[in-house]
Amino acid sequence: MAKLILQIFTISIFLSLVAFPATGEEDTYIFGKSINKKPTRLKKEKFSHFRFYWHDILSGSKPTSMMIIPPSKNTTTGFGQMNMIDNALTLGPELSSKIVGRAQGFYGAASLNDVGLMMVMNFAFIEGKYNGSTFTILGRNPVFEKVREMAVIGGSGLFRFARGYVEASTHSWDFKTGDATVQYDAYVLHY
């Protein structure tokens, strides 16, 4: 019995040392703290406008948008369907115009009552000083409205700490194939 009490006492002492280190410092473990932004090399914040065309190709031998979840049955809006994308972003509305980046992510039909997509995309740029930088879009896209607005929620590279919005407007849509070209105007605050 005495041996058992000694073992319990020893384990209790050990656990209290682990749980409450005797360092004499209260800030041994810090969850978060304010930092000076100078060492992060953040420059002055800029407000930029970008215009490019997003090409969602579902047809042909090299589609850039693929259905990964089919729509639920008995739906007229395609509710439940989800597509994974790696779509070209070009300077002009023609797919043959200069590619400035790729839209990589997914969209899903998220509305029971109309054709409303939930879009999650990274716009990954490959051109000029923005090569290797990305910004991220998240939002609702009611595709049959003339202009749709979605949020820019972050970014990387030159778009670190990005915020803003995009306006999407359909340039062309082929009812037969589902292929679409959409003009994107992005208004982004970034460093």
Side-chain angles (χ1 to χ4, degrees):
M1 181 71 161
K3 189 176 179 181
L4 180 64
I5 292 173
L6 181 63
Q7 286 176 339
I8 291 172
F9 179 72
T10 306
I11 291 171
S12 298
I13 297 281
F14 176 73
L15 288 175
S16 68
L17 290 174
V18 172
F20 307 105
T23 62
E25 296 179 30
E26 291 182 24
D27 293 343
T28 303
Y29 302 101
I30 299 172
F31 177 70
K33 66 179 182 177
S34 296
I35 60 173
N36 183 352
K37 67 179 182 178
K38 285 205 189 274
T40 62
R41 297 189 179 120
L42 292 176
K43 297 179 171 102
K44 186 178 177 188
E45 192 172 38
K46 301 175 203 73
F47 184 56
S48 300
H49 172 234
F50 301 91
R51 174 175 287 161
F52 43 82
Y53 292 83
W54 179 89
H55 299 272
D56 197 42
I57 309 299
L58 295 121
S59 66
S61 61
K62 293 184 179 181
T64 62
S65 178
M66 297 190 65
M67 183 180 1
I68 56 174
I69 299 173
S72 60
K73 294 180 177 147
N74 303 323
T75 178
T76 58
T77 64
F79 179 72
Q81 179 176 330
M82 186 168 289
N83 283 44
M84 187 66 64
I85 64 167
D86 186 3
N87 292 345
L89 301 174
T90 62
L91 280 180
E94 300 80 22
L95 187 54
S96 60
S97 61
K98 184 174 186 163
I99 295 177
V100 295
R102 309 287 304 180
Q104 298 169 330
F106 60 89
Y107 59 82
S111 177
L112 286 168
N113 301 318
D114 60 2
V115 182
L117 304 177
M118 193 242 336
M119 311 279 297
V120 181
M121 300 180 285
N122 289 315
F123 288 159
F125 296 97
I126 60 171
E127 186 59 35
K129 74 177 186 177
Y130 299 107
N131 184 20
S133 296
T134 68
F135 59 81
T136 302
I137 307 302
L138 175 67
R140 183 174 190 276
N141 182 351
V143 296
F144 293 122
E145 288 186 16
K146 185 174 179 174
V147 177
R148 291 89 66 190
E149 185 176 310
M150 292 168 277
V152 173
I153 61 167
S156 66
L158 293 178
F159 296 114
R160 207 173 278 157
F161 297 109
R163 63 193 191 285
Y165 67 99
V166 296
E167 292 180 338
S169 54
T170 303
H171 179 269
S172 63
W173 180 57
D174 186 327
F175 178 76
K176 215 174 184 184
T177 64
D179 295 353
T181 300
V182 178
Q183 177 182 312
Y184 273 84
D185 283 282
Y187 300 92
V188 184
L189 285 161
H190 62 99
Y191 289 94

